[in-house]
Amino acid sequence: MQCAMLDILRCPYCGGRLELVTSMCHRTDDRGIQEGLLGCHCCIFPVVDGIPVLHLQPAAIAARAHLEAGRPALALRAMIGLDDEAAAARFEAVASCATATYRDLAESLGEGFEGGYFLYRFSDPTYVVADAVVRAVARTVLDGRRALDVCGGSGHLTRSLLDLSSGPPVLADLYFVKVWLARRFTAPGCEPVCCDANAPLPFVRGAFGFAMCADAFQYIWTKRQFVGELIRAIDGDRGNGAVAINHTRNAQAWSPSQGQPLPPSGYRDLFETLQPRLFGAAGLFSDVVSRGVVDLARRDPEQALDADPGLTIIATRHPGVFEPHTVDHPRALRGTYRINPLYETTRAGGRLQLRLRFPSEDYEAEYGGCRHYLPEETTVDASLLQALEAGGRPPALDELIRRRVIVDLPVYYY
Ligand SMILES: [Zn+2]
């Protein structure tokens, strides 16, 4: 973690400033604090492999004890959460390889990790909409300020904030291994923080211009406190930051997902000091995919909101947010262009023939909406693809990139 993070981090429990305890074992380098202990008025928190761990769950306590005893490798093992010696050794062997991919590491964590669908995340319909919404709002409000992604998991949407945030965007999640993967692969350059979203957030008031939580809000039990915390995080002098809660489940509409969703009126009631606007997933999806617009001027009728299983909530006083925004596709490459892994590819002469193939019926049931932009079959000129992979940008491929047949994926993703 960069040392400058100490200016925005605060203890979640006493609110006190955190300082590196220099009398105890620590290691710093040009990237900042790599290992050490952070102290406030009430607690000592470990920094493990450059990531502050600002909660008191058993893994954090174990990691702290390892650091106090001068065993940083075991502190990392405790936070990765592999109790079994052989499993931990397997993970560490893969992690130490410079060319290991996100997929290699995810597989070494066991079959259950991320459900295996992370490969397709960058083209799934909820991501496509959330990416467009997040970029539209963040681009409008940030204006030299920093962005925060809470419950951001392994950083797929933090990646959307990398070129918009002034100062690296902060990615916060309870699962250490996810933010650790995000920093290495998905959102390189972000500042990961391991913390519990059911507790007060470990940041100073007004540290951010934009604070978001995507695909996770229904799992947070302390929703009222959490919304208050997001609002506190953007409560700066200018008074025009924004909070975005993307794709939270709607208690009024059936969906296969777990958690404790609220109805639209329940979500509205959580915002006491800032008037929120709610958007149904269906309307946003249709605007983004059919018109290339994030239309935040739209007012979904209550009936439409009640019937929509996924809701997006935006709260801000910024006058520029509730307007139509053109979906921006950054020209600058973030990672590396590859054929979308949902396609089966066969080569015929100088062309590649692509055929859409879903990994499972479950995937198709949940994300089949991607058919609106991913064609069943298409072809790509192999020499153009080669030129693209070599760093060029043949205009003939723009449409395939826009439709996410060719995707900009993190380097070493799979
Ligand atoms: Zn404290």
Side-chain angles (χ1 to χ4, degrees):
M1 59 176 273
Q2 293 179 354
C3 295
M5 283 292 286
L6 292 175
D7 292 335
I8 63 169
L9 289 179
R10 293 294 181 272
C11 169
Y13 311 113
C14 73
R17 200 183 157 91
L18 297 158
E19 298 291 352
L20 180 65
V21 183
T22 51
S23 59
M24 300 178 85
C25 190
H26 63 280
R27 183 170 68 86
T28 60
D29 62 18
D30 55 354
R31 293 168 299 165
I33 303 168
Q34 294 305 318
E35 272 122 36
L37 296 154
L38 300 177
C40 58
H41 305 298
C42 72
C43 293
I44 298 278
F45 298 103
V47 177
V48 179
D49 201 13
I51 301 174
V53 180
L54 304 178
H55 59 75
L56 300 173
Q57 296 199 359
I61 305 293
R64 174 190 153 178
H66 285 308
L67 285 183
E68 284 172 341
R71 303 186 296 255
L74 290 184
L76 179 58
R77 191 178 273 200
M79 288 313 304
I80 296 289
L82 294 169
D83 301 329
D84 176 67
E85 181 84 18
R90 259 198 316 277
F91 175 84
E92 285 159 10
V94 179
S96 66
C97 174
T99 55
T101 63
Y102 182 105
R103 181 190 221 167
D104 295 335
L105 279 155
E107 284 176 357
S108 79
L109 289 165
E111 280 198 356
F113 183 75
E114 301 241 314
Y117 289 157
F118 63 85
L119 262 190
Y120 318 108
R121 178 73 175 134
F122 289 106
S123 65
D124 81 38
T126 48
Y127 175 84
V128 167
V129 172
D131 174 55
V133 169
V134 160
R135 287 189 61 82
V137 178
R139 199 178 51 221
T140 305
V141 303
L142 276 175
D143 190 21
R145 293 179 288 188
R146 198 191 280 261
L148 170 65
D149 181 5
V150 189
C151 305
S154 40
H156 290 83
L157 284 164
T158 317
R159 186 175 179 81
S160 305
L161 300 167
L162 286 172
D163 62 326
L164 300 173
S165 177
S166 294
V170 171
L171 165 62
D173 202 281
L174 182 59
Y175 294 96
F176 181 93
V177 70
K178 292 190 178 183
V179 298
W180 186 92
L181 284 168
R183 183 186 56 186
R184 176 158 169 174
F185 298 102
T186 335
C190 76
E191 278 288 349
V193 172
C194 184
C195 63
D196 183 0
N198 281 301
L201 295 178
F203 307 107
V204 72
R205 177 177 292 274
F208 303 93
F210 175 72
M212 60 168 285
C213 169
D215 296 295
F217 188 49
Q218 70 268 13
Y219 299 109
I220 291 169
W221 180 243
T222 54
K223 290 183 179 63
R224 182 183 182 195
Q225 171 183 262
F226 182 72
V227 167
E229 285 295 287
L230 291 181
I231 293 173
R232 192 178 62 78
I234 59 145
D235 184 20
D237 296 339
R238 284 190 254 166
N240 64 358
V243 165
I245 293 176
N246 296 276
H247 207 261
T248 184
R249 298 286 177 175
N250 179 1
Q252 301 279 79
W254 184 88
S255 80
S257 215
Q258 308 285 316
Q260 305 90 28
L262 300 182
S265 60
Y267 284 123
R268 271 195 201 97
D269 288 346
L270 299 170
F271 291 78
E272 293 173 318
T273 58
L274 208 53
Q275 186 75 31
R277 278 210 213 174
L278 270 61
F279 303 89
L284 290 175
F285 180 74
S286 150
D287 289 342
V288 168
V289 171
S290 309
R291 300 199 287 133
V293 172
V294 179
D295 188 359
L296 299 181
R298 69 158 39 247
R299 299 256 188 190
D300 287 337
E302 282 305 306
Q303 242 179 340
L305 291 178
D306 282 346
D308 202 312
L311 301 171
T312 286
I313 308 166
I314 294 169
T316 182
R317 292 191 187 90
H318 194 294
V321 169
F322 297 118
E323 300 287 338
H325 305 263
T326 303
V327 175
D328 73 329
H329 297 279
R331 292 290 297 180
L333 179 65
R334 294 175 188 149
T336 176
Y337 283 120
R338 297 182 71 171
I339 299 282
N340 187 323
L342 284 172
Y343 283 94
E344 193 179 78
T345 304
T346 49
R347 191 169 180 129
R351 300 190 74 75
L352 300 174
Q353 293 188 325
L354 310 184
R355 189 184 296 265
L356 190 61
R357 279 272 182 273
F358 292 112
S360 70
E361 283 178 14
D362 282 352
Y363 183 90
E364 186 172 1
E366 189 160 3
Y367 301 115
C370 64
R371 283 202 167 97
H372 283 94
Y373 44 90
L374 294 178
E376 289 295 328
E377 290 183 22
T378 188
T379 59
V380 185
D381 185 312
S383 61
L384 290 181
L385 186 65
Q386 213 170 14
L388 185 72
E389 286 166 349
R393 179 72 193 253
L397 296 182
D398 279 357
E399 180 64 5
L400 291 177
I401 293 169
R402 191 188 66 76
R403 294 187 68 167
R404 301 193 189 239
V405 173
I406 296 172
V407 268
D408 176 357
L409 294 178
V411 178
Y412 295 121
Y413 196 50
Y414 74 98

